[in-house]
Amino acid sequence: MLTPTLYLFIIFISLINVAVNQLPLPSHMVATSPEPPFVEIPGIKSSYFALIARDTLYLLATRLQFSLTITHPPDFLFGGYKNGKWDGIIGQLLRKEADLGASLNAITYARYTAIDFSVPVIYDVTGILIPFPDESSKIMAALQPFSIEVWIAFFSATFLICLTLSVEGKIHSTRKTFGDHIMWVISIITSQGFGHCENRLALRLTGATWSLTNVVFIYVYTGVLTSLLAVPNYIPIINTLDELATSSVIKPVTIRSTAVDDMMLNAKNGTYKLIGDTFRKYPNETLVANTLVGVNRAVEGGYGFLEPRTSLLSLMENDRKEHKVCRVTLAKQTFYPRAFAYLLPKKSPFKDAFDRQILLLQQFGFIIHFQRKIVLQSNRCLLQKKKVRSRAPRFTLDHVSSSFVILFVGYAASFCSFVLENIRNAFDYDW
């Protein structure tokens, strides 16, 4: 049903004088579509694409003053060339069973040889719908804040401090054992305050340096570990089309008789051919009848569903609302950008009129208005960087190098103090 805003717009553009020479247009059209909201299919809700197509088409019908009868292709397909003939919407147009394809279809050269397209209504890219990843295990979270080289450097520094204290104690004939030094070093790390009770400058500098170094280490470690445990960490099963094509655990799947399956099946090399080979090898699994089957395949965990990204966003949101949980998400990479338009038979009397009115709708911002009104701008199930991470953060030596600088400077000062103390003691003894 048209809103008052749309009626005002129609009145506005009706005042625009566009001089055109066109044939009288029919007052009634039969439009065909294999998807809701044009036809009812149990279990399938309207996609954003279909809603944009519906609103635009009804506005065109009002503007051009024709009525609509909606039908659907017997096979509920969009239109592909199989076994020497066209199926779906294109087959109906060629058989003159319909005057117009009500759904927005991708413009391809193969389709253009059989039927006409209106000017493009919207543009979109192809996305990959994948199973929502499980949260990564936290069993090794205690080791994840630092990289391997940081842990090696840290334990090496710990051993060096213990060895230094032990050697210094042997030289001064103290009663402290190597185990006592280890306990003191560990007490600093764990902030337990185990006293060392020695009054030599070199020893005090060593202790102060070790304490300051561990302040940096402990706070960095605690902060990163807290974020690891508090923020969900999801690792997608795949992120690119190349990973999908070569994966041994997930297969591509798409709707039959669409631009995507036509492109993949006719590819001669590269990633598209690898996916096309999978379609040929497992046609019953990977070439499905509708979006409901495609989403269910993705939920099963072994498939990546290839569809226009705008359509996938609506499928993902509808599934979340129905099941109250994110079961699918989108891979990071998109591919195959293309234009979408209405289908018309060759030499259709509606072609020029449709093109003119669609261009006017675009010029005055109504196509953009439909997209902003219909398409949800944010989706809770998207793996966005601000919300979830694709990998755990890990600090390298470069991040904690300042701690080792403190340790090195303090160790050098302690060593110099140790040498000077021994020189002074030897001088006092000789004196």
Side-chain angles (χ1 to χ4, degrees):
M1 190 174 187
L2 296 179
T3 64
T5 304
L6 295 182
Y7 280 118
L8 289 174
F9 171 73
I10 294 168
I11 295 172
F12 172 70
I13 61 175
S14 297
L15 299 176
I16 299 174
N17 183 19
V18 181
V20 288
N21 294 318
Q22 62 180 42
L23 296 174
L25 298 178
S27 60
H28 180 78
M29 291 188 72
V30 177
T32 179
S33 173
E35 61 180 347
F38 299 105
V39 294
E40 291 187 7
I41 302 177
I44 300 181
K45 296 182 179 179
S46 302
S47 69
Y48 296 155
F49 246 52
L51 293 173
I52 294 171
R54 179 201 62 186
D55 287 359
T56 305
L57 182 59
Y58 286 168
L59 187 55
L60 289 171
T62 303
R63 172 62 182 156
L64 296 174
Q65 299 181 349
F66 62 83
S67 59
L68 278 170
T69 296
I70 303 296
T71 183
H72 63 80
D75 49 17
F76 285 90
L77 297 175
F78 287 92
Y81 192 72
K82 302 291 188 299
N83 301 320
K85 61 180 181 179
W86 288 91
D87 56 21
I89 296 176
I90 299 178
Q92 277 192 295
L93 294 178
L94 293 176
R95 294 191 299 270
K96 298 183 179 181
E97 297 172 359
D99 305 305
L100 168 71
S103 297
L104 293 174
N105 287 257
I107 299 175
T108 66
Y109 177 76
R111 289 174 172 177
Y112 179 72
T113 60
I115 46 86
D116 274 341
F117 289 93
S118 69
V119 295
V121 178
I122 58 175
Y123 297 83
D124 202 5
V125 294
T126 302
I128 309 172
L129 192 73
I130 58 176
F132 196 87
D134 295 327
E135 189 174 349
S136 61
S137 173
K138 296 289 196 300
I139 193 169
M140 299 299 291
L143 300 178
Q144 289 181 344
F146 295 142
S147 61
I148 294 176
E149 60 266 26
V150 173
W151 285 117
I152 292 174
F154 177 76
F155 285 114
S156 298
T158 302
F159 176 78
L160 183 61
I161 289 293
C162 293
L163 183 62
T164 300
L165 294 175
S166 181
V167 171
E168 194 272 347
K170 291 291 184 183
I171 292 175
H172 288 91
S173 301
T174 63
R175 295 181 179 180
K176 300 290 184 181
T177 64
F178 188 75
D180 293 331
H181 299 313
I182 292 177
M183 288 299 298
W184 179 77
V185 169
I186 293 176
S187 72
I188 297 298
I189 297 173
T190 57
S191 303
Q192 296 302 307
F194 182 80
H196 207 265
C197 301
E198 297 286 349
N199 196 30
R200 293 183 295 279
L201 179 61
L203 189 61
R204 292 200 300 270
L205 286 173
T206 302
T209 302
W210 179 244
S211 299
L212 184 58
T213 300
N214 274 275
V215 167
V216 178
F217 262 92
I218 291 169
Y219 279 101
V220 170
Y221 177 84
T222 304
V224 176
L225 183 60
T226 301
S227 67
L228 277 171
L229 296 176
V231 180
N233 180 26
Y234 300 110
I235 302 176
I237 189 170
I238 57 130
N239 254 326
T240 67
L241 188 66
D242 289 336
E243 292 176 3
L244 176 63
T246 56
S247 174
S248 59
V249 297
I250 185 169
K251 298 187 186 76
V253 59
T254 193
I255 298 176
R256 290 196 307 270
S257 297
T258 58
V260 173
D261 89 311
D262 178 69
M263 179 182 63
M264 301 298 182
L265 291 172
N266 290 299
K268 302 300 181 184
N269 51 55
T271 302
Y272 288 0
K273 182 179 183 300
L274 291 177
I275 293 179
D277 291 341
T278 304
F279 288 162
R280 280 183 284 269
K281 188 175 181 180
Y282 307 101
N284 294 330
E285 294 180 47
T286 59
L287 297 175
V288 298
N290 53 55
T291 56
L292 177 62
V293 182
V295 172
N296 288 337
R297 286 278 198 274
V299 171
E300 289 173 10
Y303 300 88
F305 185 32
L306 309 179
E307 265 282 281
R309 189 176 186 276
T310 301
S311 178
L312 292 180
L313 286 173
S314 58
L315 295 173
M316 186 166 51
E317 181 64 12
N318 290 337
D319 187 76
R320 185 194 67 81
K321 289 179 179 178
E322 181 179 352
H323 297 278
K324 311 301 180 184
V325 67
C326 291
R327 304 196 303 166
V328 288
T329 187
L330 292 185
K332 182 178 180 180
Q333 186 190 47
T334 58
F335 66 100
Y336 190 22
R338 58 198 188 276
F340 292 80
Y342 292 108
L343 300 181
L344 296 157
K346 288 290 187 182
K347 300 180 181 179
S348 170
F350 274 89
K351 175 76 168 76
D352 290 340
F354 259 59
D355 290 348
R356 188 176 306 107
Q357 295 303 321
I358 290 172
L359 290 173
L360 280 174
L361 292 177
Q362 291 174 340
Q363 178 180 337
F364 291 103
F366 259 69
I367 301 297
I368 295 296
H369 169 74
F370 290 149
Q371 289 180 270
R372 289 179 177 175
K373 181 185 70 172
I374 293 171
V375 179
L376 186 67
Q377 299 303 314
S378 61
N379 194 297
R380 298 181 187 179
C381 297
L382 286 176
L383 298 181
Q384 298 173 349
K385 289 184 178 180
K386 292 182 179 180
K387 297 173 64 176
V388 294
R389 295 185 300 271
S390 60
R391 63 181 179 86
R394 182 168 293 181
F395 280 65
T396 64
L397 278 174
D398 183 58
H399 294 99
V400 294
S401 57
S402 59
S403 300
F404 289 102
V405 170
I406 294 172
L407 184 62
F408 176 77
V409 172
Y411 195 81
S414 176
F415 179 76
C416 292
S417 299
F418 171 75
V419 172
L420 291 174
E421 281 185 334
N422 280 277
I423 292 174
R424 188 191 65 180
N425 292 337
F427 180 77
D428 290 343
Y429 178 79
D430 291 340
W431 181 260

